[in-house]
DNA sequence: CCGACTTTGTGCGTACGTTCACAAAGGCGT
DNA sequence: ACGCCTTTGTGAACGTACGCACAAAGTCGG
């Protein structure tokens, strides 16, 4: 029923192409790296894409395609040399140099992160711990003394920190983030339950326990959800019919609204 | 440059369509929910897709499409009623019921998670803490007594736990996971740096600090990477040329190998 | 030195996700 | 009552990701 023909849509991007590795691939490289380290420790010299894929929990075609983005390492009929591949991936990920990391917010989580050995092991060095609470400042955690948040700018610059871990409460998170960025930090790993806004060129990754749990709850409900067939779910399934049109949608909304009215205690 | 023009590609079947909400959408719903809660607390009654999208850090078209998967809530010309939308999303995510959660492995991380208030707030109740260390068992953390890992099966069943948080070291993770699943757990939030293998129908989500940092390091390197132009990077860029063929790839591998040989201290 | 076998690297079709742009829908002022 | 203005919901284009399947490339036994 589409009457509008829109044909001369011009993509303004000519395509600078060839620039980089797909984000999805980058996200998997650490996985491969870990599997390779495990193999290396067991003295394995070479590994096939099939084996490595199994160890990393992906399928082998995907692994091969991922690795092909780094270059043509690997020998047909044999596989990949473990040590060599470790080096190539490490290099691509930027792990052949050391990164100074600062952890801001030394609550329960910050403390746990400071103790976590996985950091130091591969290219990351905890260069500073920062907190605002007077009771925490001065404490020594994992061999590092917690410094006051007021010294943030000085510490970041002195230590050459470019990656920061934000483990403060939600309240001060944006403010602290702004100060970090102003002081020279260009990558932030954010544990605070807020959406950070940062200048272009600054990378933020978010880890949110609450969100992860909610996603699990969704699937959990799906599993046991076949039993509960309420008005709303019914309505949604009517929507799913192919011949749906605007009238249906309107009615659906109306019925759903009724269902909602029938319900009282809305969790605030 | 695409030379193959593929015009009359017929999608043979749209599929059984209408079955479910896209995974990407599900992952964003908690984000919207959080933004909505914040708005509700400030007493906001209705919100436009533009405003809500800004609060959640996504673009408005995406938000509208996401919400459209739940049904046709929202009024044209006005926006969405905050309270109502909160209810709809909560319901879709399965947060209108309470989920019993068990945390296994009460190290620094497990402790931090147990203290984290974000759990209890919305539909999740920490029903049990479990650990293997005699020194930890019996401790009371956030009002909950740590129970011995031997009682895992009993505790899971007694409390009706279906979602477990795995915060053990890598070593015992798979074993513990197997026991959890055998005891009835069907969703696992895994903090251990291992790839868990589980039976079909069990959902696993992974949170890995080390991986997140490595991804950041990759981008960090990219930013400052313009300066370092070594043989390998050069080779990779030759690869990026359109007219690349097998010969190029082979040479690239060869040269890269030389570069690697020149390097000695491979980080193990 | 050759032929069989193994495994990589990738072209291709499909599915999924994102973004644009706009018609439809509804409120609101006059 | 009507037309203007705002905002939703969505069709369609575009881009990314995935996985199959296979030719190319290399090893290894004889």
């Amino acid at each position: 029923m589409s009457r509008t023909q829109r044909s001369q849509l011009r993509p303004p991007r000519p395509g600078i192409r060839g620039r980089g590795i797909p984000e999805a691939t980058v996200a998997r490289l650490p996985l491969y790296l870990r599997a390779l380290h495990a193999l290396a420790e067991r003295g394995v010299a070479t590994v096939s894409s099939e084996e490595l894929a199994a160890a990393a929990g992906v399928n082998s075609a995907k692994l091969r395609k991922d690795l092909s983005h780094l270059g043509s390492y690997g020998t047909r009929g044999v596989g990949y040399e473990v040590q060599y591949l470790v080096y190539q991936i490490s290099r691509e990920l930027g792990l052949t140099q050391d990164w100074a990391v600062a952890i801001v917010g030394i609550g329960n989580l910050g403390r746990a992160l400071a103790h976590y050995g996985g950091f130091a092991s591969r290219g990351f060095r905890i260069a500073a711990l920062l907190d605002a609470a007077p009771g925490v400042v001065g404490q020594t955690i994992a061999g590092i003394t917690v410094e006051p948040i007021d010294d943030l700018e000085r510490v970041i610059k002195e230590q050459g920190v470019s990656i920061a871990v934000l483990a403060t409460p939600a309240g001060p998170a944006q403010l602290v983030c702004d100060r970090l960025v102003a002081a020279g930090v260009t990558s932030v790993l954010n544990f605070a339950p807020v959406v950070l806004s940062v200048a272009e060129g600054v990378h933020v990754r978010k880890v949110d326990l609450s969100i992860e749990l909610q996603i699990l709850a969704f699937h959990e409900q799906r599993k046991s959800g076949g039993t509960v067939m309420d008005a709303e779910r019914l309505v949604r399934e009517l929507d799913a019919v192919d011949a749906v049109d605007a009238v249906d949608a309107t009615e659906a909304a109306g019925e759903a609204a009724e269902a909602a009215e029938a319900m009282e205690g809305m969790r605030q």
Side-chain angles (χ1 to χ4, degrees), chain A residues 172-259:
Chain A
Q174 180 66 59
L175 187 67
V176 170
C177 176
D178 290 343
R179 288 180 63 185
L180 286 168
V181 170
V185 165
T186 47
S187 288
V188 177
L189 182 51
N190 176 32
F191 285 86
V194 291
V195 177
L196 293 177
S197 72
V198 295
E200 182 136 5
V202 178
H203 273 85
V204 176
R205 289 191 69 85
K206 190 164 172 238
V207 176
D208 195 313
L209 317 179
S210 174
I211 286 182
E212 298 298 325
L213 275 187
Q214 289 176 46
I215 296 172
L216 284 177
F218 170 83
H219 292 296
E220 201 59 34
Q221 187 188 37
R222 275 285 148 111
K223 290 173 202 166
S224 56
T227 61
V228 192
M229 174 61 88
D230 53 84
E232 237 170 79
R233 185 173 290 271
L234 187 65
V235 162
R236 212 175 317 114
E237 261 162 39
L238 288 176
D239 276 357
V241 174
D242 261 331
V244 66
D245 61 19
V247 177
D248 285 338
T250 307
E251 283 176 4
E255 287 186 38
E258 278 177 44

Side-chain angles (χ1 to χ4, degrees), chain A residues 87-153:
Chain A
Y87 169 67
Q88 292 300 344
I89 295 180
S90 294
R91 158 172 278 268
E92 197 64 47
L93 286 174
L95 304 180
T96 52
Q97 60 188 287
D98 263 29
W99 297 100
V101 175
I103 300 177
V104 190
I106 311 300
N108 286 302
L109 181 59
R111 229 172 288 260
L113 297 177
H115 281 112
Y116 177 48
F119 283 172
S121 63
R122 319 215 190 281
F124 300 99
R125 176 175 49 86
I126 300 184
L129 304 179
L130 292 157
D131 201 290
V136 177
V137 172
Q139 283 185 18
T140 298
I141 294 167
I144 304 161
T145 302
V146 179
E147 307 201 55
I149 194 79
D150 306 280
D151 294 357
L152 187 149
E153 285 77 10

